[in-house]
């Protein structure tokens, strides 16, 4: 390790700091000395009889958790939101169905007001009565058609 600037002559604490990554301006900076360079400098220091750092200081590396993807960081929050919304879902579905029923009833009532008669089916029971009356009218219509067909024959 020769050259213009012999790094192995630097003070030991400075060499140890240069071999560690630094957190500067909200970002991690690479170490100024790679592990290979640091080992070469330590060998040179040893060859010249200079002080070496303790083993722990040389081997220490900063443990950083990987940043990961945005969706991975938001998984827990999304799961809790979905779970909370699913607990509330029966009430929301019922409110939606009620709105649909009310809208249908409003439309039916407006339609029948325009046509000139009141809509009877305000409840489920009334709807079944109305459906039954429709069926009766269809049957009566069929029987009248059949009677008309038979009448000219006789």
């Amino acid at each position: 390790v020769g050259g213009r600037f012999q790094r192995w002559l630097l003070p030991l604490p400075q060499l140890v700091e240069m071999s560690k990554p630094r957190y500067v301006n909200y970002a991690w900076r690479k170490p100024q000395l790679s592990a290979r360079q640091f080992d070469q400098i330590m060998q040179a220091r040893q060859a010249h009889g200079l002080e070496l750092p303790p083993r722990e200081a040389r081997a220490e590396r900063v443990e950083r958790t990987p940043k990961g993807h945005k969706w991975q960081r938001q998984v827990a929050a999304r799961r809790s939101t979905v779970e909370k919304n699913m607990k509330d879902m029966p009430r929301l579905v019922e409110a939606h169905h009620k709105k649909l029923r009310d809208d249908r009833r409003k439309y039916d009532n407006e339609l029948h007001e325009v046509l000139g008669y009141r809509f009877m089916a305000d409840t489920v029971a009334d709807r079944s009565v109305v459906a039954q009356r429709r069926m009766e009218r269809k049957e009566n219509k069929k029987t009248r058609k059949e009677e008309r067909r038979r009448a000219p024959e006789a």
Side-chain angles (χ1 to χ4, degrees), residues 87-144:
K87 286 180 183 174
D88 200 27
M89 195 56 63
R91 186 187 61 77
L92 293 174
V93 168
E94 182 58 36
H96 177 68
H97 286 197
K98 183 179 182 313
K99 182 183 179 306
L100 289 178
R101 283 193 302 270
D102 291 345
D103 289 350
R104 189 181 315 121
R105 199 170 288 137
K106 180 181 174 188
Y107 172 76
D108 288 346
N109 286 336
E110 287 174 1
L111 180 66
H112 291 293
E113 282 177 16
V114 169
L115 295 176
Y117 56 93
R118 189 176 94 60
F119 185 59
M120 292 176 49
D122 283 339
T123 64
V124 175
D126 289 342
R127 283 182 185 260
S128 63
V129 169
V130 169
Q132 188 176 8
R133 288 185 184 161
R134 283 188 191 133
M135 291 300 291
E136 289 172 3
R137 276 182 276 176
K138 281 184 181 179
E139 289 172 9
N140 290 341
K141 194 173 183 180
K142 285 180 186 177
T143 54
R144 282 187 299 219

Side-chain angles (χ1 to χ4, degrees), residues 13-140:
Q14 186 179 352
L15 285 173
V16 172
E17 280 302 311
M18 289 172 68
S19 69
K20 293 180 182 177
R22 293 172 298 134
Y23 191 70
V24 179
N25 294 336
Y26 307 104
W28 285 97
R29 299 275 173 90
K30 291 181 181 179
Q32 291 173 324
L33 296 174
S34 69
R36 180 184 56 81
Q37 290 170 332
F38 186 74
D39 285 343
Q40 286 177 345
I41 290 172
M42 291 302 114
Q43 287 174 3
R45 287 180 71 88
Q46 189 176 17
H48 287 84
L50 296 174
E51 173 191 10
L52 295 177
R55 221 20 159 169
E56 307 85 44
R58 290 187 344 188
E60 181 183 333
R61 292 286 174 218
V62 176
E63 289 296 321
R64 292 182 273 166
T65 57
K67 185 176 177 183
H69 296 279
K70 184 177 180 181
W71 69 268
Q72 290 172 329
R73 296 190 303 269
Q74 294 176 341
V75 163
R78 278 183 50 80
R79 280 200 180 133
S80 65
T81 303
V82 168
E83 186 177 322
K84 183 184 79 167
N85 289 344
M86 287 306 290
K87 286 180 183 174
D88 200 27
M89 195 56 63
R91 186 187 61 77
L92 293 174
V93 168
E94 182 58 36
H96 177 68
H97 286 197
K98 183 179 182 313
K99 182 183 179 306
L100 289 178
R101 283 193 302 270
D102 291 345
D103 289 350
R104 189 181 315 121
R105 199 170 288 137
K106 180 181 174 188
Y107 172 76
D108 288 346
N109 286 336
E110 287 174 1
L111 180 66
H112 291 293
E113 282 177 16
V114 169
L115 295 176
Y117 56 93
R118 189 176 94 60
F119 185 59
M120 292 176 49
D122 283 339
T123 64
V124 175
D126 289 342
R127 283 182 185 260
S128 63
V129 169
V130 169
Q132 188 176 8
R133 288 185 184 161
R134 283 188 191 133
M135 291 300 291
E136 289 172 3
R137 276 182 276 176
K138 281 184 181 179
E139 289 172 9
N140 290 341

